[in-house]
Amino acid sequence: MASVTLEKVQKSYGSVHVLHEVDLEIADGEFVVLVGPSGCGKSTLLRMIAGLEEVSGGEIRIGERLVNDVAPKDRDIAMVFQSYALYPHMDVSSNMGFSLILKKADKSAIESRVGAAAKRLGLNGFLSRLPRQLSGGQRQRVAMGRAIVRDPKVFLFDEPLSNLDAKLRVHMRTEIKALHQQLRTTSVYVTHDQIEAMTMADRIVVMHDGVVQQVGPPLDLYDRPANLFVAGFIGSPGMNFLQSTVAKGGKADAVLADGQKLRLPDGLPLKDGDQVIVGLRPEHIKLTDHGSLDAEVEVVEPLGLSTQFYVKLAGQQVCVFVMGRTNMRPGDIIRLSADPASLHVFDPSSGNRIG
Ligand code: ADP
Ligand code: MG
């Protein structure tokens, strides 16, 4: 096992910069998830760690060793791809043991390593099948088995679950997390799915347009997003954003587009007339008769365990999440409130969090 250190890592293709000075320290044994929308540079960064893309600037270390110019096969990493990348003419056993076969390892050693990995992944009964005789989920397990058999210092995963159906994805992400808890191998996992990131990561790296936006444990990002991008990206249903103007009497209020007011948290560096964007998580909006906000119900989505509904507030559609069931109907006028401490306040020009 090993740490992975990125220092001012850059990537450009000609004059196009796709990664801007990425700094990241991944601890030995940590499970780090790179998450962001398609095209933000996740795969490029992962492939640079793997040695499959040249580094345009900066340094990459695996453990103490600078690997910028080390060939992929000499980096002691194993990569799992979305496409599985199995050899179609080889059975499961040979696919899983391929790295050891190449190294001319002892036949019984190969058998025992492949057997142990197959057992761990529930593939015992499938060792002599060809990839085309397996389901998608089984193929992905074989690809993971091949990585495990190598016993690498670092696992690199590039959207390994994207080709699976929704139910299997949920199942496999739990399996991968459980596997990491047993093996404790340093892992870097790429996904565009923030729920996968939240559920699997020790720490999440949120990326946007080739720039790291924020790094931290899942709930830190959820509770204190550093900017509007992270605030909007992490969380489902997503955070609501309300454009407003600061009015300071004794305490600061946010005045919404229609004149309704929301009390802001204490102690923020704000002055009268400042424009701010107030971020409000759906579950932090409370339905109470003595709430200070009026809103009209537009759409009700009963989910059984909980109810999500959309209201018109200050001319904008706002999502509200409550546990349990409601008898609310479209057209109802309801009163809402929000605890000032649960609000997020952002500077609309920089997009950064205030306070
Ligand atoms: P992600 O994995 O986050 O979806 P990628 O790392 O694949 O994103 O791509 C990041 C950006 O780099 C994209 O805008 C993509 O078009 C660009 N890119 C990737 N590979 C090349 C290449 N070989 N030449 C030019 N641009 C590339
Ligand atoms: Mg990608």
Side-chain angles (χ1 to χ4, degrees), residues 33 35-36 159 169 173 191-198 233:
V33 177
V35 70
E159 311 237 12
R169 286 182 70 142
R173 85 179 181 222
T191 178
H192 63 274
D193 179 349
Q194 61 90 21
I195 295 188
E196 232 166 76
M198 290 296 282
F233 192 78

Side-chain angles (χ1 to χ4, degrees), residues 86-92 94-95 98 129-132:
L86 301 176
Y87 297 108
H89 58 286
M90 283 185 201
D91 66 11
V92 167
S94 308
N95 264 290
F98 192 64
R129 288 212 196 166
L130 292 172
R132 67 178 155 78

